[in-house]
Amino acid sequence: MSETTFTPRVFSGIQPSGGLTLGNYLGALKRFADAQNQGIQTIYCMVDLHAITVWQNPEDLRNNTRELCAGFIASGIDPEKSILINQSQVPEHAQLAWVFNCVARMGWMGRMTQWKDKTAGKNAEAASLGLFAYPALMAADILIYHATHVPVGEDQKQHIELTRDIAMKFNHDYGVDFFPITEPVIEGAATRVMSLRDGTKKMSKSDPSDASRINLTDDADAISKKIRKAKTDPEPLPSDAKGLEDRPEARNLVNIYSALSEQTVDQVLAEVGGMQFGTFKPMLADLAVAKLTPISSEMARLVADPAEIDRILARGAEQAREITAPILKKTYEIVGMIG
Ligand code: TYM
């Protein structure tokens, strides 16, 4: 492991591939805002280079990147307190990624479950080379800042483990103690928000059923309807967390309530244990509407001024490069690049 003590620094990213879900909010954005308010340096990124590992319509990509930036700010990330960037505007990410492409092994990449899921049942030969190399770019995103902590949802855990492997192999291959061994931060009740139609499937923007997810752009009516129609079982809610085992849909709704109300699952169950879903669902719907609709109206207000978003991102890129340029320079020196 590392002998050097690195200054605590938080980094995380989200793909601007269109649409933010309640999963993105509870698993990522809300936790990013919490981390920002703990006095640690925080850097948050729209990862457009990752998005193009599958083809994106250029006009959509531009709009989605701005909308995502609005989503970050509307969720409480303050550009005066955090550095907010668009990945392609900080070229050191892609430059370090190339070095990491030469450190990471094909076998490591082939074992990534997201790669396997995305190519399952399809012709893997037709997937882009970028999709295969995706986790090496993600490692570069994190390590170009010497970030020590990365808040993510459960589904990104394996990628952070790979980031640690890349840092260790680089440090070992070059006999240095240069890159930190980053910690994933996967905490709270909502690090894996599940589909409202199937409690065993992750809530995802790519699910063909819109009823399976709450979008951050949904209005009060849509949020309430989706929660009222969410799949459940016929039993009343249990009074302790053990009673949620083998009840994926019930567990998911309780986890969502817990994360939105900032109470532990035990606290929630102390309040709602014994209740029927007919009573609990309207409570959850009211809570979700109260927490989410101010975010969607703030997002709408912010996207109406794209020039302001572009200014925020340009300033973020400048601040970011003060950190990334010296780290890339030092990396090149370690590797033996001259000049
Ligand atoms: P992405 O864009 O798929 O998701 C962004 C963040 O949202 C979390 N998330 C969820 N959390 C809980 N429940 C869900 N249903 C749910 N769906 C999504 C994800 O875990 C993630 O934290 N590879 C990354 C982006 C990335 C990145 C990075 C992240 C690129 N470079 C460096 C951290 C550090 C991704 O595709 O996330």
Side-chain angles (χ1 to χ4, degrees):
M1 283 284 168
S2 179
E3 301 284 303
T4 313
T5 315
F6 292 88
T7 313
R9 188 177 276 159
V10 171
F11 178 92
S12 200
I14 299 187
Q15 293 195 61
S17 42
L20 282 167
T21 69
L22 179 65
N24 294 129
Y25 177 66
L26 293 177
L29 289 164
K30 182 173 185 303
R31 297 173 53 232
F32 297 174
D34 294 343
Q36 165 192 269
N37 300 323
Q38 284 169 9
I40 312 169
Q41 184 174 37
T42 42
I43 302 149
Y44 297 123
C45 185
M46 285 119 254
V47 292
D48 57 350
L49 296 172
H50 278 112
I52 62 160
T53 56
V54 294
W55 191 81
Q56 306 285 324
N57 175 296
E59 201 46 41
D60 290 348
L61 180 61
R62 244 186 300 278
N63 292 334
N64 289 337
T65 304
R66 292 194 181 109
E67 184 182 86
L68 176 56
C69 185
F72 272 94
I73 298 170
S75 303
I77 289 137
D78 176 352
E80 299 297 324
K81 293 189 187 158
S82 294
I83 300 179
L84 260 184
I85 50 162
N86 184 25
Q87 190 183 31
S88 60
Q89 290 183 341
V90 184
E92 289 79 11
H93 288 235
Q95 288 173 289
L96 184 63
W98 181 260
V99 176
F100 287 170
N101 282 344
C102 304
V103 173
R105 305 289 94 182
M106 299 275 283
W108 299 1
M109 299 299 183
R111 281 192 286 278
M112 291 295 109
T113 52
Q114 290 217 338
W115 160 256
K116 288 198 264 185
D117 290 350
K118 283 192 178 148
T119 51
K122 296 188 202 135
N123 180 6
E125 299 272 312
S128 74
L129 183 55
L131 189 65
F132 191 64
Y134 182 114
L137 174 60
M138 185 162 158
D141 294 337
I142 296 167
L143 294 173
I144 196 66
Y145 297 93
H146 279 185
T148 53
H149 295 85
V150 182
V152 279
E154 187 63 51
D155 60 344
Q156 296 300 316
K157 188 167 182 231
Q158 197 189 25
H159 287 157
I160 312 294
E161 280 160 6
L162 185 97
T163 300
R164 293 163 65 92
D165 290 340
I166 290 177
M168 278 189 255
K169 182 159 163 53
F170 181 97
N171 287 348
H172 174 266
D173 287 357
Y174 292 99
V176 290
D177 193 10
F178 183 60
F179 287 115
I181 312 303
T182 304
E183 292 292 336
V185 184
I186 304 172
E187 287 165 355
T191 53
R192 191 167 174 80
V193 177
M194 308 308 276
S195 156
L196 299 178
R197 308 302 309 159
D198 175 352
T200 63
K201 264 172 57 187
K202 192 181 74 168
M203 182 181 285
S204 160
K205 59 187 160 199
S206 53
D207 192 312
S209 161
D210 191 58
S212 72
R213 64 179 159 265
I214 292 173
N215 306 298
L216 278 196
T217 47
D218 283 346
D219 63 17
D221 195 41
I223 295 172
S224 298
K225 269 203 191 112
K226 286 177 181 178
I227 292 178
R228 270 188 273 119
K229 286 195 180 152
K231 186 178 167 201
T232 45
D233 57 45
E235 302 299 319
L237 283 158
S239 46
D240 60 31
K242 202 165 166 6
L244 290 172
E245 280 170 19
D246 306 320
R247 296 182 65 188
E249 283 85 16
R251 187 173 57 223
N252 189 38
L253 296 186
V254 170
N255 282 346
I256 293 172
Y257 192 96
S258 156
L260 284 173
S261 66
E262 304 193 0
Q263 300 179 83
T264 64
V265 166
D266 287 330
Q267 284 168 332
V268 172
L269 291 176
E271 184 190 339
V272 305
M275 239 179 226
Q276 297 290 342
F277 282 104
T279 317
F280 177 64
K281 280 178 168 178
M283 278 172 65
L284 176 59
D286 286 350
L287 177 65
V289 167
K291 296 282 178 179
L292 301 179
T293 51
I295 299 176
S296 69
S297 35
E298 181 63 0
M299 275 174 77
R301 192 185 70 78
L302 292 162
V303 288
D305 187 358
E308 175 59 12
I309 291 184
D310 293 354
R311 268 193 296 278
I312 290 170
L313 291 177
R315 198 167 51 102
E318 253 174 57
Q319 294 169 323
R321 296 194 75 187
E322 283 173 23
I323 305 171
T324 58
I327 291 179
L328 184 73
K329 182 167 184 287
K330 183 73 189 164
T331 308
Y332 277 6
E333 280 167 20
I334 291 169
V335 172
M337 312 288 188
I338 56 165

